[in-house]
Amino acid sequence: MNMDVIVSLCKRRGFIFQSSEIYGGTGSCWDYGPLGVELKNNIKRLWWRDNVQLRPDMVGLDASILMHPSVWKASGHVDHFTDPMVDCRECKRRFRADQVDEAPWLHFCPATKGNKFTIPAGEPCKHCGARRTLCPECGKGELTAPRHFNLMFKTFMGPVEEDAAMTYLRPETAQGIFVNFDNVLQSMRPKLPFGIAQIGKAFRNEITPGNFIFRSREFEQMEIEYFVNPHDRVEGRAADEYWHDRWIDACEVWFVRYGMSSENLKRHEHAADELAHYAKRTVDIMYRFPMGWSELMGIANRTDFDLKQHAKTSGKSLTYFDEERKEHIVPFVIEPSAGVDRALLAFLLDAYREEEVRGDKRVVLRLHRELAPLKIAVLPLLKKRPEIVATAGELRATLAREWTTVYDDTAGIGRLYRRQDEVGTPYCITVDVQTVGDPDKREAGDQRVTIRERDSMEQIRVPIPELPALFRELLGEGTWAAATARYPRANA
Ligand code: GAP
């Protein structure tokens, strides 16, 4: 897969636009268009349903983005949430010191009278044997020594821009959960193990954002903090280690359940020198993105680090009373942390297919029906026939009460089908002359419409009154083959 193909589809079909495009764009911020917002909402809704509403051991939270600045001191973000960066003294571009050799570099080669070459990442010049020492972009400037750059965005609360009023846009949603640990404990009385989930925006002033929505400066996270008693044992293992593995499996299964190919997923176990300062163990779920295997989400065992830090900094006790052992303990926490935007990009890449149908190219997004931004498209075969248009309009209105349903009459039926395939709409309904009849010929309509399924392109004729029940099956747990066996096939 080529990322440019997806970027182009996203813009063309209203999934994702460059932020503030008419002003030349804002660096690495993206706007979700009419179809993108539906897809994104579907991802968040399914994640919330599966991880919060369907589980007896989970509750939700929606904390504010702006928090007390001490939160970020306690969490370690003020001191540790930094990347080493280097600047080019000539062109002033900025790079992450640890990534400067990961991209091709520009070289003016002395062995060829200063000819300019672009040399693959990490390789020496074929002509003079030199390795990169200067700026990889302009090929001329010296790079400064690495300096630490904090990734948090600063802002001011209230009318005065002074240091005392300074705070940060949150760089992760997790801390909003830790600081509310005692509120949830007192109000909901959960028993360990239990988790608190949150979905929301996070902001990071990334030095090298890129790869479309993979790494941006404003993004959304879906995070769980799952608290366990470290003194408990489950199936002969320490509870934190047991639950860590359970969550790693559950997260991977979740992506596969909604259509991601397991061949495009793998796990990465963090080595000791890679682990964050708070983590006992971290496993990333990686996706085979066009730029190579990259992190889709991480699942960390953060131990009791965060609760202890906030207790120490705030002076408030953040413990749990273990009734059995009659002691106050600080729970350990397992943190599955996923990016909404990264998940959306991976779902799109995984669903994209170019197929040949009767000598023509068909682009189709084979999105899981629960993810598809539009579920049903109602298409009139002839837009000049008022009865056809009226019936199609009524159908759209009825079905839109339960599913995202659109009406489209802006092209011939073949083109309309292709457009819906390209955005992943699982079902199209066609209203034709047979449906409404022909008054000139004194022919009555059969009040049946054609339903076309996206992946197989099979078509069936169904009586209009049966549509809501049929779509409840098709867009619920039913399969196309089983749900439609009782209807006659229509010619494609
Ligand atoms: N609370 C833990 C935490 O925030 P992280 O690995 O920094 O851990 C978790 O972020 C997830 O958030 C990542 O796996 C990724 O999916 C998403 N994410 C992080 N930075 C991102 C960025 N700049 N743009 C888009 N998604 C990002």
Side-chain angles (χ1 to χ4, degrees):
M1 262 310 285
N2 181 337
M3 189 77 92
D4 292 344
V5 173
I6 284 291
V7 177
S8 150
L9 173 83
C10 282
K11 168 142 202 224
R12 197 161 26 86
R13 299 309 315 274
F15 282 91
I16 300 169
F17 308 125
Q18 168 84 68
S19 160
S20 317
E21 194 180 350
I22 59 166
Y23 287 102
T26 324
S28 288
C29 293
W30 301 94
D31 296 345
Y32 286 81
L35 298 192
V37 69
E38 295 290 344
L39 176 57
K40 198 179 190 200
N41 283 343
N42 289 343
I43 292 173
K44 293 192 281 183
R45 186 177 48 78
L46 293 172
W47 187 89
W48 194 261
R49 182 187 73 186
D50 297 341
N51 288 301
V52 183
Q53 293 168 331
L54 291 177
R55 290 184 64 125
D57 54 349
M58 292 287 306
V59 292
L61 185 81
D62 185 12
S64 63
I65 288 172
L66 295 172
M67 300 174 76
H68 195 287
S70 299
V71 168
W72 307 110
K73 187 72 191 153
S75 67
H77 282 83
V78 171
D79 296 322
H80 300 292
F81 197 55
T82 56
D83 275 341
M85 50 130 216
V86 291
D87 291 301
C88 172
R89 293 188 200 279
E90 191 80 22
C91 69
K92 309 295 177 207
R93 284 198 186 86
R94 180 167 279 191
F95 308 92
R96 260 178 68 170
D98 53 342
Q99 290 177 351
V100 78
D101 282 320
E102 286 178 12
W105 56 288
L106 201 69
H107 178 50
F108 294 93
C109 175
T112 61
K113 296 188 188 148
N115 279 349
K116 191 166 92 174
F117 298 101
T118 302
I119 300 176
E123 290 186 15
C125 171
K126 279 197 291 216
H127 307 282
C128 68
R131 291 197 168 267
R132 187 206 59 76
T133 53
L134 302 173
C135 170
E137 291 272 342
C138 71
K140 290 182 182 154
E142 300 227 333
L143 297 178
T144 60
R147 280 177 297 162
H148 280 284
F149 171 77
N150 198 295
L151 301 187
M152 285 194 292
F153 280 100
K154 290 184 183 135
T155 187
F156 297 92
M157 289 255 224
V160 190
E161 286 197 14
E162 59 184 16
D163 281 357
M166 198 193 76
T167 188
Y168 304 94
L169 299 186
R170 68 180 177 199
E172 62 172 16
T173 62
Q175 299 305 322
I177 298 180
F178 295 125
V179 300
N180 277 295
F181 173 75
D182 199 51
N183 285 333
V184 174
L185 211 56
Q186 299 311 326
S187 55
M188 307 303 286
R189 303 263 156 212
K191 294 270 166 280
L192 287 179
F194 73 89
I196 306 176
Q198 173 163 223
I199 299 179
K201 290 259 181 176
F203 304 83
R204 297 183 188 177
N205 198 3
E206 301 278 4
I207 301 170
T208 45
N211 287 313
F212 195 29
I213 54 172
F214 177 84
R215 181 170 284 111
S216 48
R217 296 198 166 107
E218 176 179 339
F219 56 98
E220 271 190 277
Q221 290 185 314
M222 311 185 276
E223 295 202 297
I224 293 169
E225 304 304 331
Y226 194 77
F227 299 97
V228 302
N229 188 333
H231 304 139
D232 283 348
R233 297 193 72 75
V234 189
E235 295 180 6
R237 301 171 62 200
D240 59 311
E241 295 175 9
Y242 169 86
W243 280 106
H244 196 182
D245 277 332
R246 282 282 296 267
W247 275 109
I248 296 166
D249 291 343
C251 292
E252 195 169 333
V253 164
W254 191 82
F255 289 113
V256 175
R257 175 173 171 196
Y258 292 105
M260 233 177 251
S261 158
S262 43
E263 280 166 22
N264 289 332
L265 292 167
K266 71 174 185 184
R267 297 178 187 186
H268 167 70
E269 182 89 38
H270 281 217
D273 61 352
E274 218 185 327
L275 281 177
H277 62 281
Y278 49 73
K280 173 173 161 183
R281 180 187 170 213
T282 297
V283 172
D284 289 340
I285 295 184
M286 316 282 282
Y287 183 78
R288 201 201 300 260
F289 286 98
M291 65 283 188
W293 288 101
S294 312
E295 178 186 331
L296 178 59
M297 73 171 296
I299 303 111
N301 181 345
R302 293 177 79 122
T303 67
D304 52 10
F305 174 83
D306 303 271
L307 289 180
K308 277 192 170 157
Q309 281 296 107
H310 287 303
K312 197 165 95 189
T313 313
S314 67
K316 300 279 170 2
S317 162
L318 295 177
T319 57
Y320 172 90
F321 187 65
D322 180 351
E323 299 279 355
E324 245 174 65
R325 297 183 182 90
K326 303 287 178 223
E327 61 179 5
H328 288 274
I329 59 126
V330 182
F332 268 32
V333 69
I334 306 301
E335 180 192 67
S337 173
V340 178
D341 314 77
R342 254 180 226 190
L344 186 144
L345 179 58
F347 277 125
L348 277 178
L349 288 161
D350 221 279
Y352 185 91
R353 303 274 191 293
E354 286 178 11
E355 299 174 352
E356 202 185 296
V357 179
R358 292 187 210 111
D360 281 340
K361 182 173 119 177
R362 158 173 113 126
V363 171
V364 56
L365 281 186
R366 289 182 177 249
L367 285 170
H368 187 281
R369 59 194 166 199
E370 294 209 68
L371 287 178
L374 305 174
K375 309 292 187 219
I376 305 167
V378 185
L379 316 171
L381 197 67
L382 297 170
K383 69 174 172 186
K384 289 194 179 125
R385 293 288 291 265
E387 318 85 68
I388 292 183
V389 171
T391 304
E394 279 164 28
L395 260 178
R396 192 215 62 85
T398 306
L399 299 172
R401 290 193 202 117
E402 288 181 71
W403 304 282
T404 41
T405 308
V406 291
Y407 169 91
D408 192 2
D409 65 6
T410 54
I413 193 68
R415 284 268 299 279
L416 293 180
Y417 282 154
R418 293 286 180 272
R419 280 191 203 159
Q420 294 302 327
D421 289 342
E422 202 183 31
V423 298
T425 310
Y427 301 108
C428 290
I429 297 178
T430 312
V431 182
D432 54 24
V433 180
Q434 226 183 309
T435 314
V436 296
D438 189 342
D440 296 341
K441 295 185 187 156
R442 296 175 177 234
E443 283 170 8
D446 63 4
Q447 293 299 306
R448 286 171 178 261
V449 289
T450 301
I451 302 182
R452 172 187 181 270
E453 198 260 343
R454 177 195 70 201
D455 297 344
S456 63
M457 294 182 285
E458 278 178 9
Q459 302 187 7
I460 51 170
R461 289 291 285 182
V462 178
I464 290 176
E466 294 179 27
L467 288 176
L470 178 62
F471 279 121
R472 259 170 236 136
E473 223 177 316
L474 289 175
L475 291 166
E477 298 299 311
T479 63
W480 170 256
T484 62
R486 60 188 179 276
Y487 296 109
R489 304 279 136 174
N491 290 332

